[in-house]
Amino acid sequence: MERKKHIYTEQEAYQKLSALCAMSEQCCHDVMQKLKRWEVVPEVAERIVARLVKERFIDEERYARAFVKDKFRYNHWGRVKIEMELKKRKIAQRHIEIGLEELQEEDNLDVLREIIKKKRPSVKGKNEYEIRGKLIRYALGKGFPMEDIIKVVGSLDECFD
């Protein structure tokens, strides 16, 4: 038996989304995607998002700051990956820059040093050159800038003994 899909009224969708936004930071793009999945008419969806922004349930600068902190602290992502993900969510560049200001250069290098040290024992290679290449690709995939990776991988000679 196929379950009938619930059609949300404007008020129901607004209430559900305002509760979601009160629990966790959301951006306009993610909320619009959710409304699209709920098959809410585009004009109604835009009204709902505009109301959520007006009532400060959605604040893209606040979202960018929270996103940067969370992805850096818990996922150990670098600046590059965080910035790409925020752009994918259509966050304005000025908000992205404000969010990225939260990251301290030294914290960035410390996290990078830590993830490379943790990864090193599991990396197999024929020689030191190949191992370093794999560690560099891993760190690039995590979104760290090449100049930082080179600094850290170059200073990890004790890992290669």
Side-chain angles (χ1 to χ4, degrees), residues 6 18 31-32 49 55 64 95 114 123:
H6 180 73
S18 63
V31 170
M32 285 299 277
V49 170
E55 294 173 4
H95 297 316
E114 221 27 64
V123 175

Side-chain angles (χ1 to χ4, degrees), residues 92-108:
Q93 188 62 38
R94 70 180 188 280
H95 297 316
I96 293 172
E97 288 166 10
I98 290 168
L100 288 172
E101 284 174 9
E102 303 280 316
L103 297 182
Q104 302 299 317
E105 181 68 26
E106 208 41 54
D107 292 343
N108 208 22

Side-chain angles (χ1 to χ4, degrees), residues 46-84:
E46 286 176 23
R47 267 198 317 267
I48 292 170
V49 170
R51 183 174 170 195
L52 290 168
V53 169
K54 182 177 176 241
E55 294 173 4
R56 300 209 16 100
F57 281 107
I58 297 175
D59 181 328
E60 302 237 310
E61 182 180 317
R62 194 175 62 213
Y63 175 83
R65 286 176 189 259
F67 188 89
V68 168
K69 280 183 194 163
D70 285 354
K71 296 304 178 186
F72 182 73
R73 184 177 300 142
Y74 302 114
N75 298 55
H76 304 296
W77 287 3
R79 303 176 78 83
V80 177
K81 187 168 186 171
I82 291 170
E83 185 172 359
M84 281 184 348

